[in-house]
Each structure stands twice: as C-alpha cells, then as structure tokens.
Amino acid sequence: MSLVFSSFPDHLATLPPERALHGAALRAQVQQQLQRPSNADLSAFVFLPDQVDHPEHADAAQVFAQAVEQMYLPKPLMGDEIPLLFLGYHAMNRFSGKRTSQGLLLTDQAIYVQDDFTVLSAAPPPARGQALPTRTEDVAPFLSSLLANYKAWKDWAALAQCPESVLPTRCEVLLAPVIGAVLDYHAQHGSQRQAQSREWTLAGLVADHDAAETLLDPLNPKLSKKLGKVAGKFQIPADETLRFALVDFPLFGGPYGFALTSKALYGKDLMESPLRIALAQVDAGDLQISEKGDSLATGANPPIALPSYTKEALRQPFLAFLKQEVVRLQSQA
C-alpha cells in the first residue's frame, strides 16, 4: 500500500470498486453533519478530504492528507478504508521541524487516535486504531471511552483557548452525529466490515515494539541466562515450560514482573515472594492492565506486578497476546 494520500478521488481509485462507490456519498454525509452551528468553536480543528473552503486554513487539504499518511496508512486496522474526517491539529518538532498530526482520524470503518507527541527526533508510535461500533446506540459509550483515554487534551485546549475540562465533551458532541450518520449509511448499504482478529506471535510482538530486553522469548539463545534467573526467582518447576516473561532486572532483588508457563501465570513484585495462579483458575476475559501499566488484574485472583517502565504502546498488544495464549493453553489442557 502506498503511504501517500494525493487526493480523495485517487485514494478511492485504489479501493475495490464496490467500496469506492461509497466514498462520495459518505463524504457528503459527514460534511452535512458538520454544518451544525454548535460545531463552530471547533471549526479550526475540522478537516475534510480535498477541502478548499476551510474557514481558517488555506492548506486544509494538505493537513488532511498528512493525517491520513501518518495515522492511517502505516498501520490500517482493516485496510481499504475511506478517510472521512480529521479532527485535530499539528504539533511541530523543534529539532527537525517536522509536523506531526495529533487528534482523531475517522474512516468509514474505524477511528484512529494519535496523542503522543515528542520534541525529540524519535517518531511517535503508530496511531491507535479502533473499529467503529455497529449500532448507533453504542456511539455514545464508544466515544466516551475513546475520549476519556485521550492523553493530550492539555495541549489541544491551549490551542483551542478553551478549558481542558470542556474539550472532550465538545469533541463528543461533534463526532457523535457524524459517526451515527456513517453507521446509518452502512445499515442501508451493508457496507460495514468486521476487523479480523489478529493472530499474535511472540516474535512479532517483540520486533514491532523493540522489546527484546523486556519481553523475553525462550527461543532467543541470547536470553538463556536471564530466563534462568526468571525461572529461579519465580520458583517455576522444571516440568513447566516457560512460554515468555515480561520482566525488569533492577540492580538489587532479582527480576520482577510476569511470566507465563504451560500450566500457570507467575508474578513477582520487587523484593516479594512469587505468586502462582494455575491456568485452570484464570478467565482470559478478566485479564486487564492497569491504567498506569504497573499491574495485571487477574479477576478473582490477586493482581500481578508489571515492570512500571514498560512502553505504553506495548501494553495493549501484549494483553491481547497474553489472552490469546491463555485460551490456547487452556484448550490443550
């Protein structure tokens, strides 16, 4: 897939014909919903594809194109999607002068969130993609959760010159009817798709997040010494195969964090005794990582400490992989 968005018609031309047919109609639906007087205070942050009538930005079409190129094209959730709306702004790296799109990008199938800007030269992590709900009655809770987890309201509020406490509600008021119109269109045309469940692999997860020193793979011979320390400190029996570990090695106290074996979840906090939870006692649906990323909730069982410095971008993919592996191991028991 090309990582360049030259124009809306050119993008539609790259899609399967049956999907491209929906492009112009959906764009018109979105534009109609945005023409509400209540959206006037956010007009500076609203961008449509190939827009030539933006009230404040003559380069609106380029702003939209860059958002698509940075937030959607590198890592599409479903692929063959129709970008419809960018709600956000640009942040500029003071060292490189490069502009980074920040905010929310809506396609016909998903919404992408980028709220991680750094003034350092390193590129931000990929935008987070989330499939749209299938029912209009689910739009409000969907947006409420999505916007509650957005991390850069302070910067956005400063640009918008409005209180930080107000901005999430204003964005929800703008987005709710837009997404509702998209879902109504899908209901009429049978054009909404379901995201395919990804089959996660440990090697892929480590490579995607440059996590070889944190997420330990037993197939990596360079990690045998570290994994031996994990097995010893976590008191893992010799008859249990260690599948992987998410751990830290501080100067004192030995490794701490999480490990999965063929039979159990293991956890060990710094300077504490290890915890073992048999897989038979685990419901994968109960596994959740805390907001701070420093613990793994295990339902009725005690939580397990996680390395507090684990990259935020790794947390949810790791959780998805862990749930997948727990279900797989339970089915083999």
Side-chain angles (χ1 to χ4, degrees), residues 130 133 135-148 172 176:
Q130 190 166 342
R135 306 183 308 168
T136 54
E137 55 263 40
D138 293 331
V139 171
F142 168 80
L143 281 174
S144 178
S145 174
L146 186 84
L147 297 173
E172 183 172 351

Side-chain angles (χ1 to χ4, degrees), residues 11 34-35 46 49 52 56 64 77 137-138 143 150 194 239 242 248 273-274 278 285 287 289 297 299 309 312:
H11 178 77
L34 291 172
Q35 292 172 345
V46 175
V52 295
E56 297 193 32
F64 182 87
L77 189 65
E137 55 263 40
D138 293 331
L143 281 174
Y150 190 83
Q194 296 295 316
D239 65 342
L242 180 58
D248 183 23
S273 299
L287 300 174
I289 294 178
Y309 73 93
E312 185 171 354

Side-chain angles (χ1 to χ4, degrees), residues 209-229:
H209 296 275
D210 191 23
E213 298 300 317
T214 305
L215 183 53
L216 307 186
D217 184 349
L219 294 181
N220 186 344
K222 296 180 180 179
L223 298 175
S224 59
K225 185 175 180 179
K226 284 189 172 182
L227 288 165
K229 290 182 178 180

Side-chain angles (χ1 to χ4, degrees), residues 2-326:
S2 170
L3 295 183
V4 174
F5 183 91
S6 56
S7 71
F8 193 58
D10 286 348
H11 178 77
L12 295 182
T14 68
L15 306 182
E18 68 275 12
R19 292 178 188 161
L21 287 173
H22 302 298
L26 280 166
R27 188 194 185 285
Q29 291 273 0
V30 169
Q31 186 169 10
Q32 180 181 2
Q33 293 300 323
L34 291 172
Q35 292 172 345
R36 298 168 182 255
S38 59
N39 294 330
D41 59 332
L42 288 177
S43 61
F45 302 93
V46 175
F47 300 89
L48 294 167
D50 294 351
Q51 188 172 6
V52 295
D53 59 349
H54 198 281
E56 297 193 32
H57 301 289
D59 64 343
Q62 288 73 35
V63 172
F64 182 87
Q66 185 169 337
V68 174
E69 291 170 2
Q70 292 184 346
M71 298 174 64
Y72 162 66
L73 290 178
K75 199 171 183 179
L77 189 65
M78 299 186 198
D80 292 336
E81 297 167 45
I82 303 170
L84 296 170
L85 168 67
F86 174 52
L87 178 61
Y89 58 96
H90 279 157
M92 181 175 288
N93 185 299
R94 294 182 180 178
F95 295 101
S96 67
K98 184 177 180 180
R99 297 193 300 176
T100 299
S101 300
Q102 296 281 288
L104 306 117
L105 178 72
L106 175 69
T107 74
D108 67 314
Q109 305 291 335
I111 192 163
Y112 295 81
V113 179
Q114 180 56 272
D115 55 4
D116 192 340
F117 173 72
T118 173
V119 297
L120 301 177
S121 58
R128 306 186 299 278
Q130 190 166 342
L132 297 180
T134 56
R135 306 183 308 168
T136 54
E137 55 263 40
D138 293 331
V139 171
F142 168 80
L143 281 174
S144 178
S145 174
L146 186 84
L147 297 173
N149 289 311
Y150 190 83
K151 299 183 301 183
W153 289 123
K154 183 177 181 180
D155 295 338
W156 194 339
L159 290 172
Q161 297 184 342
C162 74
E164 185 177 347
S165 59
V166 172
L167 193 53
T169 301
R170 291 295 307 112
C171 288
E172 183 172 351
V173 168
L174 182 147
L175 287 168
V178 172
I179 294 177
V182 171
L183 297 186
D184 286 342
Y185 182 91
H186 285 318
Q188 295 172 25
H189 297 86
S191 48
Q192 188 167 15
R193 294 177 284 138
Q194 296 295 316
Q196 293 183 347
S197 298
R198 175 175 176 179
E199 181 69 20
W200 296 93
T201 66
L202 180 58
L205 200 60
V206 169
D208 285 353
H209 296 275
D210 191 23
E213 298 300 317
T214 305
L215 183 53
L216 307 186
D217 184 349
L219 294 181
N220 186 344
K222 296 180 180 179
L223 298 175
S224 59
K225 185 175 180 179
K226 284 189 172 182
L227 288 165
K229 290 182 178 180
V230 170
K233 288 292 186 179
F234 284 49
Q235 299 179 15
I236 298 175
D239 65 342
E240 293 187 26
T241 303
L242 180 58
R243 300 292 180 173
F244 56 84
L246 182 68
V247 292
D248 183 23
F249 288 81
L251 291 176
F252 302 101
Y256 77 97
F258 169 86
L260 175 70
T261 74
S262 54
K263 297 181 180 180
L265 307 182
Y266 283 83
K268 185 181 183 305
D269 205 349
L270 193 62
M271 307 300 289
E272 298 289 341
S273 299
L275 169 69
R276 182 183 188 274
I277 304 173
L279 285 179
Q281 301 174 359
V282 176
D283 183 340
D286 289 338
L287 300 174
Q288 296 295 331
I289 294 178
S290 67
E291 185 175 349
K292 292 183 178 180
D294 58 356
S295 67
L296 174 73
T298 58
N301 300 292
I304 292 175
L306 297 178
S308 57
Y309 73 93
T310 302
K311 295 178 181 177
E312 185 171 354
L314 174 62
R315 295 172 190 170
Q316 290 309 309
F318 169 76
L319 180 63
F321 173 65
L322 172 60
K323 290 181 177 183
Q324 170 191 290
E325 292 304 288
V326 167

